[in-house]
Amino acid sequence: MELAKQSKKSTQKQAEILPKKKRVFNTDQLLAIAFLLPSILLITIFVYGFIGWTGYVSLSNWNSLVPDMSFAGLKNYLYLFGDFRFQADLRNTLVFTVLFIGVVIIIGQLLAILLDQSFLKGESIFRNIFFFPMALSFVVTGVVWQWLLNPSTGVNLFLEKIGLDSKWYTNTEILFGFNWGKIEFGIPFAIIAVIIAAVWQMTGFSLAMYLAGLRGIPEEVREAARMDGAKEFQIYTKIILPILRPITVSVVIIMAHISLKIFDLIYAMTGPGANFVTDVPGVYMFETTFRGNYYANGAAIAIIMLISVAIFIVPYLISSRKGEAS
């Protein structure tokens, strides 16, 4: 024991006497750094740098063509939350997000369950039909649905022929409305058209996610449930859908990210609409910044949009990292 202790002490002394070796990167590590460094620099400058610059402008008095970077504090934010148009934008965004996500999830689940059935013939054809809208941009979708829902052409012309309201697409009525601040809070009738177009385009993504999840569930799980006397409806509601809950969370996060920063679909399809019934912060920010030259107000809208998206994205990223670590 004493000899072992003495040898251990001598080893420690030698380690203290010998100079510490400097860490030297090998060729693979240097090559990886060389490949990643340009991307890191570009992201730092053109993503985080511009976010920081936008936040700085939002706290300034730059609301004209002449730059004025004097500090304004939260004046621009307070102005926005007291503005009629921005309050309408928040209402429209909330309504659009809730209805859009809910309908996309429900239709995506139903279509995935239908395509997962073995008796369905021509599955690949139906799958391609549902996936096709995802290949289009929101601008193309907005133009197509604008034509389809135009009061003088498309579907609404047929509605007019049978005696129904053909101008619901431009209706400024608020369903289930009640006064809230400066606006009437409720469901703008005209925004339903935008929701229909967005659901048509993004349901294919939800379908793909749920179909992949269903194909990953072993058939033995369903067979065991059937042997225990469970009916098909109970199998899906009590077993399959709870298993697919992580996919549902992913769909909610991605669809919320799309809906909270939506711009091109609404700008191409309806614009702000009469009384701002289809306006959203993205459209307001574009018109405020690039048409009205109110740069500080536009920057404040952009920061609010960033925060609203981060509220959904950041908790999801944190939970996913914790799941990977565990």
Side-chain angles (χ1 to χ4, degrees), residues 33-70:
I33 293 172
F35 276 110
L36 291 175
L37 189 58
S39 299
I40 293 172
L41 290 175
L42 291 174
I43 291 173
T44 302
I45 296 172
F46 293 102
V47 177
Y48 298 105
F50 283 1
I51 289 174
W53 172 251
T54 303
Y56 177 63
V57 172
S58 70
L59 300 174
S60 70
N61 287 303
W62 188 6
N63 281 317
S64 65
L65 287 173
V66 180
D68 182 3
M69 303 307 296
S70 59

Side-chain angles (χ1 to χ4, degrees), residues 249-293:
V249 173
S250 299
V251 173
V252 169
I253 294 298
I254 295 170
M255 295 299 109
H257 170 260
I258 293 173
S259 63
L260 290 173
K261 66 180 186 64
I262 192 73
F263 165 76
D264 38 7
L265 175 64
I266 291 178
Y267 194 79
M269 188 173 176
T270 63
N275 209 25
F276 305 117
V277 290
T278 57
D279 196 33
V280 290
V283 176
Y284 189 17
M285 185 270 291
F286 172 78
E287 294 186 347
T288 299
T289 306
F290 301 106
R291 290 188 175 179
N293 300 319

Side-chain angles (χ1 to χ4, degrees), residues 295-324:
Y295 297 101
N297 287 345
I301 298 172
I303 292 298
I304 293 172
M305 292 174 62
L306 175 65
I307 293 172
S308 64
V309 172
I311 290 173
F312 281 88
I313 299 298
V314 172
Y316 173 72
L317 294 177
I318 293 174
S319 63
S320 63
R321 282 183 174 273
K322 287 182 178 179
E324 291 175 0

Side-chain angles (χ1 to χ4, degrees), residues 104-105 107-109 112 202-211 251:
V104 163
I105 288 176
I107 296 179
Q109 287 180 349
M202 296 309 302
T203 297
F205 176 83
S206 176
L207 166 63
M209 295 284 286
Y210 282 114
L211 189 59
V251 173

Side-chain angles (χ1 to χ4, degrees), residues 81-306:
F81 283 106
D83 181 37
F84 170 80
R85 180 173 181 178
F86 192 70
Q87 289 184 9
D89 291 351
L90 295 178
R91 173 200 64 197
N92 299 339
T93 301
L94 178 61
V95 172
F96 179 83
T97 300
V98 172
L99 295 180
F100 170 63
I101 294 175
V103 176
V104 163
I105 288 176
I106 292 172
I107 296 179
Q109 287 180 349
L110 293 177
L111 290 176
I113 292 172
L114 181 62
L115 290 177
D116 189 50
Q117 306 303 313
S118 58
F119 62 83
L120 186 65
K121 304 297 182 181
E123 175 194 336
S124 59
I125 298 175
F126 288 105
R127 190 168 61 241
N128 291 331
I129 291 173
F130 293 128
F131 290 170
F132 170 73
M134 291 180 58
L136 304 176
S137 68
F138 271 126
V139 174
V140 175
T141 300
V143 172
V144 169
W145 279 92
Q146 182 189 41
W147 179 83
L148 288 174
L149 299 177
N150 192 293
S152 60
T153 58
V155 177
N156 286 322
L157 183 61
F158 171 75
L159 295 178
E160 185 178 0
K161 295 295 184 182
I162 62 176
L164 299 177
D165 182 18
S166 63
K167 298 183 179 180
W168 65 275
Y169 173 54
T170 56
N171 196 336
T172 60
E173 182 182 354
I174 306 296
L175 301 177
F176 314 109
F178 60 91
N179 292 330
W180 179 66
K182 295 182 178 180
I183 64 167
E184 185 179 3
F185 191 85
I187 302 175
F189 205 92
I191 208 170
I192 295 176
V194 182
I195 294 172
I196 292 172
V199 168
W200 176 80
Q201 178 158 0
M202 296 309 302
T203 297
F205 176 83
S206 176
L207 166 63
M209 295 284 286
Y210 282 114
L211 189 59
L214 288 171
R215 296 288 166 82
I217 298 175
E219 185 62 28
E220 290 79 5
V221 174
R222 306 181 193 187
E223 292 296 334
R226 293 189 186 100
M227 291 179 64
D228 290 337
K231 298 181 179 179
E232 290 298 320
F233 180 77
Q234 293 175 325
I235 292 174
Y236 279 100
T237 56
K238 302 295 184 180
I239 299 174
I240 302 299
L241 293 183
I243 293 175
L244 297 178
R245 189 174 292 120
I247 293 178
T248 301
V249 173
S250 299
V251 173
V252 169
I253 294 298
I254 295 170
M255 295 299 109
H257 170 260
I258 293 173
S259 63
L260 290 173
K261 66 180 186 64
I262 192 73
F263 165 76
D264 38 7
L265 175 64
I266 291 178
Y267 194 79
M269 188 173 176
T270 63
N275 209 25
F276 305 117
V277 290
T278 57
D279 196 33
V280 290
V283 176
Y284 189 17
M285 185 270 291
F286 172 78
E287 294 186 347
T288 299
T289 306
F290 301 106
R291 290 188 175 179
N293 300 319
Y294 294 99
Y295 297 101
N297 287 345
I301 298 172
I303 292 298
I304 293 172
M305 292 174 62
L306 175 65

